[in-house]
Amino acid sequence: MKKKVAFYTLGCKLNFSETSTIARDFQEEGFDRVDFSEHADMYVINTCSVTENADKRFKSIVKQAQKVNPDAFVAAIGCYAQLKPEELASVHGVDLVLGATEKFKITDYINDLSKNDFGEVHSCEIVEADFYVGSYAIGDRTRAFLKVQDGCDYKCTYCTIPLARGISRSDTLQNVLKNAKEIAAQDIKEIVLTGVNIGDYGKGEFGNKKHEHTFYDLVEALDAIEGIHRLRISSIEPNLLKNKTIDFVAKSNSFVPHFHIPLQSGSDEILKLMRRRYLSGLYVDRVTRIKEVMPHACVGVDVIVGFPGETDELFLETYHFLNTLDISYLHVFTYSERDNTVAAEMNGVVSKNVRSKRSKMLRGLSAKKRRAFYESQLGTTRTVLFEGENKEGYIHGFTENYVKVKSPWNPELVNQLKQVTLTTIDEDGLVRFDFVSEKIEA
């Protein structure tokens, strides 16, 4: 009987791409991959430590696995496993904890899958995380997440990612293109480029500072690959998103008009405290340029509320900044103190209930912005990529510029690209449409 392994991924698209690669390693070792809700001999949890909530969720996921099979071997990998290995190892039921470099060798650390009395830890000093492991996620979605870069050299005062993932380093252009071709050969219609700081692409495999290729070179080379219908840039720092790249995307064959650009604060005072590498004026320039060359582009924004020193006035500065900016939605993060960060020692701590109120205000603004963006797209003709899940009798999909649509469930549409005209916004906020020149009723 083949052994069974199940995976649970917390956090970012980068984690999903790495989980998928690790899962393929298990399959090569003779394991069958099953869903996390199913009975498995081994459960692997890929952890995240960007927010407090991700830390807290870990224990409940371990319990979930133990409920299905109390005798299963449980391994923790990923960012939280690198930052706090002993803490994870002490959670009841955890047998193995692997840090940043060890996670890609997980199959070397498992023997007969017998339970340990205490979690066994293998984690390196983060300075040893200086080599690059390429990965991509397929099989679970209509799109693939393709990792092109790892680690970060920035020293933002709130962030633990450099401690969890190490220095900025990149895949070779040759290997990225090879992986992209492999994905395209499997009839996956969309590739999302992921990394910790993908605009920094080009720093060598071992983190050396010489850029053999730039992010622009990467974009240009990927656009030339046959068989890739859509390429999406997941998230890129505003100071690394150059006009040249924006202009290229505007004329590109495959890159879609969707940018996700972290802002974190609309107050220059707070941006300086965060040690971000730009001020609000540069952010305005980026959004303005995108909208000049692609008026229909979708622009998403990351923002943090409740950072130390964020007074009511400075928060309102961020609110008004975002309110006047031509953006499409927000990802709102409530600041949470992380060990070993500069921000955790700062004065001007914002109370939890004020953080929560500010978060609510920005989430409300995000809903308003998304609605306005969707309304601006009604009457336009777009291409939708349909997803594979039946959601209460409906199929969902996304246009190239990230408008989420819905239609009565039709399995024939799964993983298909169809031209549609966007017509109305439903009560749940999703968009209805008519198919263009096809006899399918929406």
Side-chain angles (χ1 to χ4, degrees):
M1 283 285 287
K2 275 188 172 185
K3 293 252 190 270
K4 292 179 178 172
V5 62
F7 296 85
Y8 197 107
T9 306
L10 288 159
C12 60
K13 295 179 176 80
L14 181 56
N15 272 7
F16 278 96
S17 76
E18 291 180 344
T19 297
S20 205
T21 294
I22 291 163
R24 288 195 290 278
D25 290 343
F26 270 93
Q27 285 163 319
E28 279 172 24
E29 294 288 329
F31 281 77
D32 275 337
R33 183 179 182 176
V34 297
D35 191 79
F36 201 82
S37 60
E38 294 177 47
H39 190 279
D41 301 286
M42 181 172 181
Y43 293 91
V44 179
I45 304 165
N46 194 353
T47 63
C48 166
S49 195
V50 169
T51 66
E52 216 173 5
N53 292 349
D55 292 5
K56 286 174 184 164
R57 281 185 64 197
F58 177 75
K59 284 181 185 168
S60 69
I61 294 159
V62 173
K63 276 186 189 153
Q64 241 176 279
Q66 288 185 301
K67 209 178 266 185
V68 184
N69 181 7
D71 301 322
F73 190 89
V74 177
I77 61 173
C79 292
Y80 189 19
Q82 174 64 34
L83 291 172
K84 302 208 170 165
E86 306 299 338
E87 198 175 292
L88 289 193
S90 68
V91 172
H92 176 68
V94 173
D95 300 291
L96 179 66
V97 178
L98 298 180
T101 62
E102 291 77 16
K103 65 188 171 191
F104 293 108
K105 299 177 273 189
I106 184 169
T107 54
D108 296 346
Y109 289 100
I110 52 174
N111 299 313
D112 58 356
L113 296 185
S114 54
K115 298 287 287 173
N116 292 325
D117 294 336
F118 301 101
E120 192 183 306
V121 172
H122 297 275
S123 78
C124 64
E125 289 300 312
I126 198 59
V127 291
E128 292 169 39
D130 64 352
F131 58 89
Y132 185 87
V133 178
S135 57
Y136 60 85
I138 53 169
D140 11 17
R141 309 159 180 257
T142 49
R143 63 182 63 86
F145 298 134
L146 173 57
K147 175 182 166 186
V148 299
Q149 182 273 344
D150 201 350
C152 188
D153 293 341
Y154 287 10
K155 298 289 184 285
C156 302
T157 53
Y158 53 82
C159 187
T160 56
I161 287 175
L163 301 172
R165 283 189 169 269
I167 55 172
S168 177
R169 54 210 189 272
S170 311
D171 205 347
T172 62
L173 185 59
Q174 189 184 1
N175 199 49
V176 173
L177 298 179
K178 178 184 84 69
N179 285 341
K181 285 170 187 167
E182 280 177 23
I183 294 165
Q186 297 183 51
D187 194 34
I188 287 168
K189 303 288 194 298
E190 180 173 307
I191 294 176
V192 183
L193 303 185
T194 70
V196 174
N197 187 358
I198 64 174
D200 206 25
Y201 176 82
K203 283 187 179 163
E205 186 189 358
F206 299 99
N208 52 53
K209 300 301 176 203
K210 180 179 173 288
H211 280 58
E212 197 152 331
H213 297 98
T214 63
F215 183 69
Y216 179 81
D217 295 337
L218 174 72
V219 164
E220 201 176 32
L222 282 167
D223 196 54
I225 291 179
E226 290 290 314
I228 299 178
H229 298 272
R230 281 185 179 182
L231 284 154
R232 202 177 290 275
I233 299 167
S234 63
S235 178
I236 185 165
E237 293 285 307
N239 52 304
L240 295 173
L241 177 57
K242 307 296 184 197
N243 286 348
K244 197 178 174 188
T245 304
I246 294 169
D247 294 347
F248 184 84
V249 168
K251 300 188 198 76
S252 148
N253 302 317
S254 314
F255 277 90
V256 295
H258 174 207
F259 294 86
H260 192 92
I261 314 168
L263 168 68
Q264 312 311 11
S265 176
S267 156
D268 286 349
E269 198 174 314
I270 297 293
L271 287 172
K272 286 172 188 171
L273 286 173
M274 290 176 164
R275 290 192 198 151
R276 299 292 286 159
R277 296 196 176 194
Y278 54 87
L279 295 175
S280 57
L282 180 120
Y283 199 92
V284 173
D285 290 349
R286 302 297 79 218
V287 174
T288 305
R289 180 65 171 220
I290 290 165
K291 288 295 189 173
E292 271 171 9
V293 294
M294 290 169 274
H296 60 297
C298 178
V299 179
V301 183
D302 285 344
V303 62
I304 295 170
V305 295
F307 189 80
E310 187 185 61
T311 60
D312 287 345
E313 292 74 24
L314 294 179
F315 168 70
L316 286 173
E317 207 179 306
T318 291
Y319 187 93
H320 294 310
F321 178 81
L322 290 165
N323 195 24
T324 55
L325 208 56
D326 191 1
I327 54 168
S328 315
Y329 64 89
L330 304 171
H331 281 171
V332 183
F333 297 90
T334 304
Y335 172 74
S336 59
E337 286 78 2
R338 318 305 291 146
D339 290 345
N340 303 315
T341 59
V342 174
E345 309 299 319
M346 284 181 177
N347 298 324
V349 173
V350 178
S351 71
K352 292 270 171 82
N353 66 329
V354 170
R355 292 182 210 184
S356 173
K357 270 184 201 155
R358 290 177 185 172
S359 174
K360 213 176 213 169
M361 279 178 73
L362 283 186
R363 286 176 205 278
L365 179 62
S366 179
K368 190 179 103 175
K369 287 284 187 184
R370 193 186 295 271
R371 176 86 189 193
F373 176 62
Y374 282 9
E375 282 175 357
S376 77
Q377 296 304 300
L378 296 180
T380 64
T381 297
R382 301 281 171 232
T383 304
V384 171
L385 174 58
F386 289 95
E387 307 204 318
E389 210 180 321
N390 183 341
K391 295 189 177 176
E392 296 173 357
Y394 288 95
I395 190 167
H396 292 171
F398 284 93
T399 63
E400 63 273 40
N401 61 341
Y402 215 55
V403 173
K404 192 172 186 181
V405 304
K406 67 185 281 197
S407 180
W409 172 251
N410 177 353
E412 288 175 24
L413 290 174
V414 172
N415 198 32
Q416 296 299 308
L417 288 158
K418 298 285 181 187
Q419 271 212 315
V420 306
T421 301
L422 305 177
T423 55
T424 55
I425 302 175
D426 229 349
E427 59 276 7
D428 60 2
L430 303 188
V431 178
R432 298 284 198 145
F433 57 86
D434 293 326
F435 286 96
V436 173
S437 68
E438 284 191 38
K439 293 173 183 171
I440 307 176
E441 291 305 312

